[in-house]
Amino acid sequence: MFGMEGMIGGRTASDMPGLDIAEHRSWQNFLDAALRLYATLNKTLVDEHHLTLNDVRLLDMLDKSPSGSARMVDLADALMSLPSRVTRQIRRLEAHNLVRRCASPDDGRGVLAIITDAGREEVRKAMVTYGNEVRVHFLSRLSRPQIAAMGENCRRISAGLRADGPPARLGRV
């Protein structure tokens, strides 16, 4: 991403409007680490369990739900994804007998995704891999104080983004 001279696409880091070099490098390092970590976790989960990281997150939400189910729209919001993308994801998981869909008893227009016994078994195995990979690729590279600081910094950023108001529903103008 950066050459030895701090260049990005022919521009120096200090050329990014509103950011000084240290701020820009901090942002680029965070973004690079987050994207690499996501890709690494995703690849491992696909290779070992044939589930994407988003599949594991979705199945884990359903597994932890007291009813084993959630409205599709709520899953899309929790995953910060487009409803149509979650629908395709659920169809794929349904084809593998990991979830099933049914009409919501509370809202005839709503659809519930329900985790199956096979889905519970698969997500529990995948969560072991996920946890191990987070430890290896994220936690093991930081000291305990760094882990605490990272957690607090990310919490503050997330809380600030929530306080700014919900983003417009993805895919709508």
Side-chain angles (χ1 to χ4, degrees):
M1 191 166 286
F2 290 103
M4 293 299 289
E5 48 294 319
M7 300 286 283
I8 302 172
R11 296 174 54 151
T12 63
S14 61
D15 289 341
M16 188 169 186
L19 301 181
D20 64 31
I21 291 172
E23 291 167 334
H24 186 239
R25 283 191 182 144
S26 178
W27 168 248
Q28 286 302 137
N29 287 335
F30 169 79
L31 187 59
D32 185 62
L35 293 172
R36 285 178 191 276
L37 184 58
Y38 183 92
T40 298
L41 295 172
N42 196 64
K43 181 179 183 335
T44 300
L45 289 166
V46 168
D47 289 350
E48 294 188 20
H49 302 281
H50 308 288
L51 295 170
T52 66
L53 179 53
N54 277 339
D55 292 341
V56 172
R57 292 180 62 224
L58 184 150
L59 290 169
D60 186 52
M61 286 179 216
L62 293 175
D63 188 44
K64 287 179 178 167
S65 165
S67 65
S69 66
R71 293 180 336 139
M72 298 281 283
V73 68
D74 294 335
L75 289 171
D77 285 345
L79 293 168
M80 293 177 269
S81 186
L82 294 167
S84 60
R85 184 171 289 160
V86 171
T87 297
R88 286 190 302 274
Q89 182 180 9
I90 290 290
R91 276 192 202 123
R92 188 171 39 76
L93 294 171
E94 197 172 30
H96 291 92
N97 193 37
L98 301 177
V99 298
R100 63 183 175 84
R101 287 182 284 176
C102 71
S104 171
D106 301 327
D107 175 9
R109 296 173 296 144
V111 177
L112 291 179
I114 304 165
I115 192 165
T116 64
D117 290 341
R120 287 184 191 279
E121 185 177 323
E122 285 302 314
V123 74
R124 288 176 183 162
K125 288 188 244 178
M127 288 301 291
V128 172
T129 301
Y130 183 24
N132 289 338
E133 292 296 296
V134 166
R135 178 159 307 287
V136 167
H137 299 293
F138 178 66
L139 299 173
S140 70
R141 300 175 193 281
L142 302 172
S143 67
R144 282 307 240 188
Q146 290 170 324
I147 291 169
M150 174 71 82
E152 175 58 17
N153 290 335
C154 290
R155 185 203 61 77
R156 290 178 67 175
I157 292 166
S158 185
L161 291 168
R162 276 193 296 275
D164 291 342
R169 166 90 56 194
L170 295 174
R172 292 188 189 164
V173 177

